[in-house]
C-alpha cells in the first residue's frame, strides 16, 4: 500500500475539481465534466478514490489514469481490486463487492491494473490560492493534517483512511488543522455534506440511482451533473 501524501502545486492556469466515487461510470463522468465546460488543457480533476467495481466501465480505469489532467487516490475498492489482481491477501472478498470485471481481463491487463492501482497514493494535497486542500477516501483520523506526513503511517490509520465511516456517522464537525478543507467520498449521500472543514462529495454518480458532484477546489462551490438525486438510505453504511 502506497501510504504517502502526493502533493500538487497550485493551478494558476485553470480550475481544479474533485469528484466522488466513480465505480466504473466513466461515460457519466464525461457528461458531468461537460456541465462545467471542463478544459483538459488547463483544468485538473482529482478523484477521491473508488475508481472501479460495480459499474460497467471499470476496465477503462487505465485509460483514465493515463490522462495527464486526472489524478486519484486509493479507495477501499481500488485497494480490494489491486490485492485481488495481484493475488495478494485481502481482508474482504473482492468478488462480493463488484470485482467480477477483473475476471474478464487478460492476465497481462490484470497485472497492469493491479500495479497501477497499488501505486495510487493514500492521500493527495492540492495547493490553492486560499490554502491547501486534502483528499482522503473515507476519513482522516487526525485533527491535524501534518500527522499524515508521519512515516510509516500505522495500519490503523491507513485502514481508517480507506474504510472508516466514523466522522460521518458521528457527524463529527471538528476542523482538521493545517488544511483549508478535506474532501472525502465513500459515504453515498443525496447532497454534498460539510462537517467542520470536511466535504463529503459522493452523491452516487457511480450508481444509476445518483449523480456526480464536482467540487471546485478554488471556490469550494459544488456543481451536480446529470442523473437523479441519490435516495436517503437508512441502512447503508458505506460503499
Ligand atoms: Mn468506498
Amino acid at each position: 500500500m502506497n501510504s504517502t501524501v502526493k502533493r500538487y502545486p497550485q493551478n494558476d492556469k485553470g480550475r481544479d475539481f474533485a469528484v466522488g466515487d466513480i465505480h466504473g461510470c466513466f461515460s457519466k463522468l464525461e457528461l458531468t465534466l461537460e456541465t462545467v465546460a471542463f478544459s483538459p488543457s488547463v483544468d485538473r480533476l482529482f478523484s477521491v478514490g473508488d475508481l472501479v467495481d460495480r459499474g460497467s466501465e471499470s476496465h477503462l480505469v487505465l485509460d483514465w489514469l493515463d490522462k495527464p489532467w486526472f489524478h486519484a487516490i486509493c479507495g477501499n475498492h481500488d485497494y480490494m481490486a489491486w490485492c485481488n489482481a495481484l493475488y495478494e491477501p485481502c481482508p474482504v472478498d473482492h468478488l462480493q463487492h463488484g470485482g467480477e470485471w477483473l475476471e474478464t481481463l487478460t492476465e497481462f491487463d490484470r497485472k497492469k491494473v493491479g500495479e497501477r492501482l497499488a501505486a495510487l497514493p493514500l492521500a493527495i494535497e492540492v495547493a490553492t490560492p486560499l490554502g491547501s486542500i486534502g483528499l482522503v477516501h473515507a476519513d482522516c483520523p487526525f485533527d491535524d493534517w501534518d500527522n499524515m506526513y508521519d512515516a510509516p503511517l500505522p495500519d490503523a490509520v491507513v485502514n481508517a483512511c480507506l474504510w472508516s465511516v466514523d466522522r460521518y456517522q458521528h457527524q463529527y464537525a471538528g476542523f482538521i488543522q493545517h488544511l483549508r478543507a478535506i474532501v472525502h467520498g465513500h459515504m453515498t449521500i443525496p447532497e454534498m455534506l460539510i462537517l467542520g472543514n470536511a466535504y463529503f462529495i459522493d452523491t452516487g454518480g457511480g450508481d444509476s440511482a445518483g449523480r456526480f458532484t464536482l467540487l471546485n477546489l478554488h471556490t469550494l462551490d459544488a456543481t451536480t451533473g446529470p442523473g437523479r438525486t441519490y435516495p436517503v438510505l437508512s441502512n447503508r453504511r458505506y460503499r
Side-chain angles (χ1 to χ4, degrees):
M1 181 72 215
N2 173 8
S3 58
T4 57
V5 181
K6 187 166 183 190
R7 302 178 82 155
Y8 288 85
Q10 188 169 304
N11 181 359
D12 292 320
K13 296 197 174 118
R15 299 166 298 169
D16 287 340
F17 295 97
V19 68
D21 307 14
I22 299 167
H23 285 304
C25 293
F26 294 106
S27 296
K28 190 169 163 190
L29 177 58
E30 276 176 345
L31 292 176
T32 302
L33 292 174
E34 286 176 15
T35 65
V36 294
F38 185 87
S39 172
S41 59
V42 292
D43 297 337
R44 299 185 295 192
L45 179 65
F46 293 90
S47 153
V48 297
D50 279 7
L51 304 169
V52 296
D53 293 351
R54 301 205 176 101
S56 62
E57 299 163 337
S58 290
H59 59 285
L60 297 179
V61 65
L62 293 180
D63 296 344
W64 277 75
L65 289 173
D66 279 340
K67 296 180 191 297
W69 46 265
F70 182 73
H71 310 283
I73 56 174
C74 190
N76 57 306
H77 281 269
D78 313 302
Y79 173 72
M80 286 187 276
W82 76 250
C83 289
N84 185 10
L86 300 179
Y87 306 104
E88 297 274 345
C90 184
V92 279
D93 183 0
H94 183 225
L95 284 179
Q96 294 202 354
H97 291 81
E100 63 287 331
W101 63 279
L102 260 188
E103 311 300 319
T104 69
L105 302 184
T106 63
E107 204 55 27
F108 181 80
D109 285 344
R110 179 185 178 115
K111 183 162 182 274
K112 235 172 22 177
V113 163
E115 289 172 347
R116 204 68 190 276
L117 294 181
L120 292 177
L122 185 67
I124 278 177
E125 180 179 331
V126 185
T128 78
L130 295 176
S132 290
I133 299 203
L135 286 88
V136 174
H137 180 63
D139 194 359
C140 174
F142 298 122
D143 288 321
D144 189 330
W145 180 250
D146 289 350
N147 288 324
M148 287 294 290
Y149 287 95
D150 293 346
L153 286 172
D155 288 349
V157 170
V158 173
N159 285 334
C161 290
L162 292 175
W163 299 91
S164 171
V165 296
D166 288 355
R167 187 175 298 265
Y168 178 83
Q169 291 221 315
H170 296 291
Q171 299 283 295
Y172 177 69
F175 279 70
I176 295 176
Q177 301 302 308
H178 298 115
L179 209 55
R180 179 182 173 206
I182 187 162
V183 188
H184 299 303
H186 196 52
M187 296 303 310
T188 310
I189 49 182
E191 306 283 347
M192 181 176 81
L193 175 74
I194 306 170
L195 293 172
N197 58 349
Y199 287 65
F200 288 85
I201 64 165
D202 181 31
T203 51
D207 187 310
S208 57
R211 57 190 175 170
F212 285 113
T213 290
L214 294 176
L215 180 67
N216 183 316
L217 298 184
H218 289 191
T219 64
L220 295 178
D221 291 328
T223 306
T224 50
R228 289 179 285 168
T229 304
Y230 194 78
V232 177
L233 296 179
S234 55
N235 60 354
R236 169 64 61 78
R237 277 174 57 79
Y238 62 81
R239 297 184 77 241

